[in-house]
Amino acid sequence: MLPIILLLSSCLISTSQSQQLFDCDFEESCEHFLFDSYWIVENVSSHADHTYGNLSGHYITYTNSSVLQPFTTTLRTRDWINTSSNLTAWFSNWIYSGPGGVYYKLELAQGDDLQARIPVGIIGFNFDNPQWRHASVEMPYANRFVPFILFTNITSSLDLDDISVDLSHSSQPIPPIKTMFDCDFDKTFCPELLSLSNYSYSWSMIQAEQAQNYTIQAPDVDYSIGDKTGHYMWLNNSDSLQSGGAGYLNTRPFHFTMSDGIYCLSFQYYRFGVTFETSKLTVLALDEDNQKSVDQIWPIDPINYTYINQRWSWAYAPLRIGNYSLLFRMDSEYQVNSSFAIDSISVSSCQYPQKYFSAISNIEFACDFDSSMYSTCGIQNDYTDLRPQSALNFTIQSPNNINDRELGPRQTTGWSGEDFYYWSRSAQTSSILTSGQFKTPLIETNRDMCIRFAYFVNSTNVQSNESNTKIDVSVRGCETENIWSIEIDNSLGWQLVVKSFIPNACRQAVYFSITQRRPTRIAVAFDDITIAQCGTLNVLTTTEPPITTPSSKTSSNSIDSIVLITSLLVVLQYALSFI
């Protein structure tokens, strides 16, 4: 929670022996500060200004004060503030308000996108008699930032005058900067940085002068040295990039604990190309324990993010508490007309609030439903595009505890344990319940990704080749795209499907849907779901199937034994899926 500072006197903090960086008294054009559209400097004053103390002076007025309700308005410095190792910045202003309240938050923004914000505190006035009051607040140490002042609650008239930012000695000891990782590809080459295999795109280090021989749009100088002899990491877009592709640059694992304090990631990126549309750069945290789940690090707010083109740009973000490595992912949804270079990567201590690693997506996914009776690996029943009143839930079951053993499945797939994801309807099930759907957790998909799963279908009271039941597997995130579908009433045991994804790169979920044209007794099951790079799919090997007792009643459409598929056939089926 931010500290709340109620100003009950004319001055909160005073500074001495300070160095003024920016100031504005509104007697001339205010060049050092930027205000949003709710502020104006009037030619005729309604009360004395602070600078001259008479009606001839000027100040800036908040023009929405007649609304007298909570509202947000913003001011910031026009330029960056750069501090030395022993100085901090102070924000000072004079406020004329009352009767009523004025509250504002002070934040320090870092990174060229200004998304990383250090919260300083909430400052508040609440007086009956209007007069000029002074506030001067020390900001936490940061070596490069833009201060933002956000007025979040205004229930009074509001005027500002004599705004300034000064540098002065800190009132608190400035903690030393600790650097955990530093790589500029010239003084430090960082051989531990690896471009992950089995992806369309590969990161590599190159000298700026050499990069120009491949494409004139590439950075002609690096960032750290600033000339053509310097080096950076890049993805060359002149020969190997394809729509829907992706490439990862992986760092070594980091271990961030509460006792270590907070660390921040800083790096420079350069987006280059002929035109700029769908190519994007993202930094993810890859969980060290399972090597699959990831958290978003940068951009901090990725929705409709705007990258800076054709120049080096500063990216900055606080890092989470946890054990993980960093992944620099470049991908392109459709057209590939631009790429990225990165330079000057560092991980150093900073003064941000602590947050913990929290997985939001996965770079691959696998689930055999066997880790525990209630573990669905994050898979959820989902009816967002179905009528909920017509949907039945999937549940984890095994051959020995299913509701309808006559329909099956009476055997497991043979590639994992006993449990599977099961959906069924009996003769007693309401006739309107004819659909079911579940979705996987979010996955960072790309054109080189495949899905493999086993499925089982058996139903009664259907005609030969009626195809009363339809199964659809699709991806949804950027757009809804179908991967695989089948209309079937009897799968003749467990069957294996291996399909490649569409050529698109996106954070999305995979949906498995079942629909019946008319209600019948039916059993459907899924198991051994794997989503990974096609080149990394392991070859399935059969395990000893569990011993089950045959049912005394057998439907003409029931399955008495599993169709055992050998490892050789799995490999063959995998190969044929791409033909």
Side-chain angles (χ1 to χ4, degrees):
M1 180 179 294
L2 293 178
I4 298 177
I5 308 167
L6 295 178
L7 300 185
L8 301 178
S9 62
S10 62
C11 182
L12 174 66
I13 300 173
S14 62
T15 64
S16 60
Q17 299 179 348
S18 62
Q19 171 192 346
Q20 191 169 80
L21 293 179
F22 308 125
D23 70 292
C24 186
D25 61 10
F26 304 102
E27 304 308 325
E28 297 178 357
S29 176
C30 187
E31 301 294 337
H32 296 307
F33 293 88
L34 298 175
F35 294 81
D36 62 27
S37 59
Y38 297 103
W39 298 85
I40 189 171
V41 177
E42 302 280 7
N43 289 326
V44 179
S45 300
S46 61
H47 58 80
D49 78 330
H50 177 265
T51 307
Y52 296 140
N54 58 45
L55 293 177
S56 66
H58 297 81
Y59 48 81
I60 195 165
T61 297
Y62 172 60
T63 60
N64 228 25
S65 58
S66 60
V67 177
L68 295 180
Q69 63 182 5
F71 197 78
T72 300
T73 184
T74 304
L75 71 96
R76 50 158 290 192
T77 60
R78 182 184 299 273
D79 298 319
W80 291 94
I81 294 176
N82 297 287
T83 61
S84 61
S85 59
N86 62 339
L87 298 177
T88 56
W90 299 69
F91 172 74
S92 175
N93 67 321
W94 286 85
I95 296 179
Y96 189 97
S97 66
V102 174
Y103 296 86
Y104 63 87
K105 294 191 301 183
L106 184 58
E107 298 176 343
L108 307 189
Q110 295 184 283
D112 284 350
D113 57 12
L114 302 175
Q115 285 193 354
R117 299 290 181 97
I118 302 176
V120 178
I122 300 175
I123 295 88
F125 293 85
N126 199 332
F127 292 97
D128 292 331
N129 58 319
Q131 61 176 311
W132 288 109
R133 295 179 175 88
H134 183 224
S136 182
V137 180
E138 181 180 14
M139 292 175 265
Y141 176 78
N143 58 5
R144 180 175 171 81
F145 64 91
V146 171
F148 271 74
I149 296 87
L150 294 85
F151 289 86
T152 56
N153 193 335
I154 303 173
T155 58
S156 163
S157 61
L158 174 60
D159 303 320
L160 302 179
D161 202 0
D162 293 326
I163 304 172
S164 66
V165 174
D166 306 89
L167 288 182
S168 184
H169 291 287
S170 174
S171 63
Q172 302 290 332
I174 296 176
I177 302 297
K178 297 177 289 184
T179 299
M180 188 177 292
F181 180 84
D182 187 20
C183 188
D184 63 9
F185 307 107
D186 289 294
K187 299 184 185 68
T188 51
F189 294 100
C190 310
E192 66 269 33
L193 291 174
L194 298 176
S195 183
L196 299 187
S197 57
N198 297 300
Y199 290 88
S200 292
Y201 308 163
S202 294
W203 290 89
S204 60
M205 187 175 70
I206 194 168
Q207 190 178 49
E209 185 175 26
Q210 295 175 344
Q212 289 284 299
N213 296 330
Y214 289 93
T215 172
I216 194 65
Q217 285 81 32
D220 57 354
V221 299
D222 78 330
Y223 179 81
S224 58
I225 293 181
D227 62 35
K228 64 182 181 180
T229 66
H231 296 76
Y232 49 75
M233 297 292 292
W234 80 327
L235 280 162
N236 178 19
N237 70 345
S238 64
D239 49 19
S240 62
L241 302 189
Q242 306 176 69
S243 61
Y248 286 103
L249 182 67
N250 192 199
T251 70
R252 65 170 174 83
F254 297 101
H255 304 279
F256 301 109
T257 65
M258 290 184 61
S259 60
D260 293 333
I262 297 300
Y263 281 77
C264 286
L265 169 69
S266 176
F267 67 96
Q268 297 287 330
Y269 76 85
Y270 192 115
R271 193 187 197 201
F272 62 94
V274 178
T275 58
F276 305 94
E277 294 179 18
T278 64
S279 298
K280 59 183 183 293
L281 179 67
T282 307
V283 182
L284 304 171
L286 176 62
D287 188 9
E288 186 181 2
D289 294 330
N290 64 24
Q291 293 293 304
K292 296 177 183 178
S293 60
V294 294
D295 194 1
Q296 174 94 21
I297 298 297
W298 182 90
I300 296 172
D301 183 4
I303 299 175
N304 299 320
Y305 188 82
T306 300
Y307 295 92
I308 298 173
N309 301 323
Q310 295 298 154
R311 71 171 177 84
W312 288 109
S313 179
W314 180 34
Y316 195 83
L319 295 170
R320 312 285 199 265
I321 300 297
N323 302 323
Y324 53 84
S325 61
L326 296 175
L327 290 174
F328 292 79
R329 170 181 164 121
M330 183 269 180
D331 63 54
S332 52
E333 292 181 19
Y334 297 106
Q335 298 180 5
V336 184
N337 40 42
S338 59
S339 188
F340 286 87
I342 57 177
D343 199 2
S344 300
I345 306 170
S346 68
V347 174
S348 300
S349 58
C350 54
Q351 298 190 52
Y352 281 76
Q354 288 185 334
K355 293 184 178 180
Y356 289 84
F357 178 95
S358 178
I360 62 169
S361 184
N362 302 268
I363 60 171
E364 59 183 52
F365 176 80
C367 190
D368 60 13
F369 305 100
D370 293 316
S371 58
S372 75
M373 181 177 177
Y374 303 103
S375 175
T376 61
C377 316
I379 287 175
Q380 299 176 349
N381 286 284
D382 184 275
Y383 309 121
T384 53
D385 59 341
L386 301 176
R387 292 180 301 160
Q389 64 271 22
S390 69
L392 283 169
N393 281 341
F394 282 81
T395 58
I396 296 178
Q397 302 293 338
S398 68
N400 293 320
N401 62 13
I402 54 177
N403 296 329
D404 194 335
R405 284 192 36 85
E406 182 179 8
L407 289 180
R410 301 182 190 175
Q411 303 267 10
T412 67
T413 63
W415 297 304
S416 59
E418 291 194 355
D419 293 336
F420 44 74
Y421 218 31
Y422 179 74
W423 182 91
S424 68
R425 61 181 321 281
S426 66
Q428 289 74 40
T429 304
S430 171
S431 61
I432 66 171
L433 299 175
T434 58
S435 62
Q437 181 171 272
F438 67 85
K439 66 177 181 179
T440 68
L442 291 174
I443 300 166
E444 306 288 334
T445 65
N446 64 88
R447 67 175 295 120
D448 303 307
M449 186 165 272
C450 284
I451 181 171
R452 181 179 65 198
F453 61 91
Y455 74 94
F456 172 97
V457 179
N458 193 20
S459 59
T460 60
N461 302 322
V462 291
Q463 301 298 317
S464 178
N465 299 321
E466 181 180 347
S467 300
N468 182 56
T469 302
K470 184 179 182 182
I471 300 175
D472 288 291
V473 179
S474 60
V475 289
R476 305 179 195 178
C478 297
E479 295 182 5
T480 299
E481 299 281 355
N482 190 266
I483 298 177
W484 177 85
S485 65
I486 191 171
E487 295 183 357
I488 190 172
D489 296 314
N490 190 339
S491 63
L492 300 177
W494 286 101
Q495 300 297 329
L496 190 69
V497 174
V498 182
K499 294 293 292 184
S500 59
F501 276 51
I502 58 173
N504 187 14
C506 186
R507 180 177 295 165
Q508 52 194 341
V510 179
Y511 285 72
F512 291 73
S513 305
I514 298 172
T515 54
Q516 283 192 301
R517 290 188 174 91
R518 60 182 182 86
T520 65
R521 277 179 61 209
I522 187 172
V524 179
F526 293 94
D527 202 358
D528 302 317
I529 301 172
T530 300
I531 302 170
Q533 297 303 104
C534 300
T536 65
L537 282 178
N538 62 308
V539 175
L540 292 174
T541 56
T542 58
T543 60
E544 185 69 23
I547 299 175
T548 58
T549 304
S551 172
S552 59
K553 295 181 180 180
T554 304
S555 164
S556 60
N557 289 321
S558 67
I559 303 302
D560 293 318
S561 62
I562 187 171
V563 179
L564 295 178
I565 304 176
T566 65
S567 300
L568 179 61
L569 183 56
V570 173
V571 176
L572 178 61
Q573 192 170 3
Y574 169 71
L576 291 175
S577 67
F578 296 96
I579 298 178

